[in-house]
Amino acid sequence: CADNSLVLTASGTPAGMTYAWSNGGTTSTKTVSAAGEYTVTATYGVCSATKSVNITSDTNMPTIEVSKSNDITCNKQNATLSVSSNNANLAYSWSNGSRVATAVIMAANTYEVTATDTNLGCFVVKSIVVENKVTHPTVTIEGAQDLSCAIRQVELNAISDIQSPSYKWNNVAGNQTKVVNTIGAYTVKVEDTTNGCTASASAQINE
């Protein structure tokens, strides 16, 4: 890949020979840019000699696989991008400036990596998308009312818009509902267990 052309040179004795190449050309040198068989005939007077050379092409593009450790979430604010290949002669260049097989990124985006075979000069470019999955839930508390002689306890119910939340009431792990029988402020914190994003709501219970 790095050498797109090369020069073939015919030489011999005696001096003063003329040359004819099979695919055109009458000088002692021939520039070629494609693989194949090239034949030159050297003539001196009535005598002639023919030689051939076979030019092969070694332009195998590198094969790579690109992977990511995770997308960007509330509890995973960076990600590691990795390249793997069976070719040990590759040099890497990432669009974020990294020059090794792995790149640590801090933001959701599309990232490109160029892998270049340092022996042949052949290269391949691949991209990978790191998604932004930072979506904060919402939460409200229902059922809050003041205590009285008639109402000795109330059940607080945390209503959230996520499918798999975890709950903490006043920083203590709990369930969606909490039965309270004392006055005070009650705060529920819900966490989306799929991405670590949280939201909180509070209710004041008086008497």
Side-chain angles (χ1 to χ4, degrees):
C1 292
D3 298 320
N4 295 320
S5 64
L6 55 86
V7 177
L8 305 179
T9 301
S11 62
T13 56
M17 291 186 293
T18 60
Y19 300 94
W21 293 88
S22 57
N23 63 335
T26 57
T27 63
S28 61
T29 60
K30 176 70 176 178
T31 300
V32 299
S33 56
E37 185 177 73
Y38 295 87
T39 301
V40 62
T41 299
T43 301
Y44 185 80
V46 296
C47 300
S48 63
T50 299
K51 288 287 186 179
S52 296
V53 63
N54 188 49
I55 304 300
T56 60
S57 175
D58 194 356
T59 56
N60 293 322
M61 295 300 172
T63 299
I64 62 173
E65 295 294 332
V66 184
S67 61
K68 60 184 176 182
S69 60
N70 53 269
D71 291 309
I72 301 300
T73 64
C74 289
N75 57 1
K76 295 179 180 178
Q77 298 179 12
N78 57 53
T80 299
L81 310 181
S82 303
V83 183
S84 59
S85 176
N86 292 328
N87 188 337
N89 300 312
L90 297 183
Y92 301 103
S93 175
W94 290 89
S95 54
N96 73 331
S98 178
R99 293 291 185 269
V100 292
T102 59
V104 178
I105 56 91
M106 308 294 289
N109 209 334
T110 298
Y111 295 89
E112 285 189 347
V113 61
T114 301
T116 303
D117 189 317
T118 55
N119 289 338
L120 301 177
C122 301
F123 68 92
V124 64
V125 179
K126 280 198 172 184
S127 63
I128 190 168
V129 177
V130 178
E131 298 182 46
N132 181 359
K133 294 189 175 180
V134 177
T135 303
H136 290 277
T138 62
V139 62
T140 58
I141 296 176
E142 294 183 351
Q145 57 180 315
D146 292 341
L147 300 177
S148 66
C149 293
I151 302 174
R152 304 312 303 163
Q153 65 180 30
V154 295
E155 183 178 79
L156 304 180
N157 187 19
I159 305 300
S160 181
D161 61 348
I162 53 179
Q163 298 298 316
S164 55
S166 65
Y167 301 91
K168 284 185 178 180
W169 290 92
N170 290 2
N171 293 320
V172 177
N175 300 314
Q176 180 179 353
T177 60
K178 181 175 180 61
V179 176
V180 300
N181 54 17
T182 57
I183 63 172
Y186 293 88
T187 299
V188 64
K189 180 180 181 180
V190 296
E191 178 179 339
D192 187 337
T193 56
T194 65
N195 65 10
C197 297
T198 62
S200 297
S202 296
Q204 178 67 38
I205 303 299
N206 297 314
E207 189 172 29

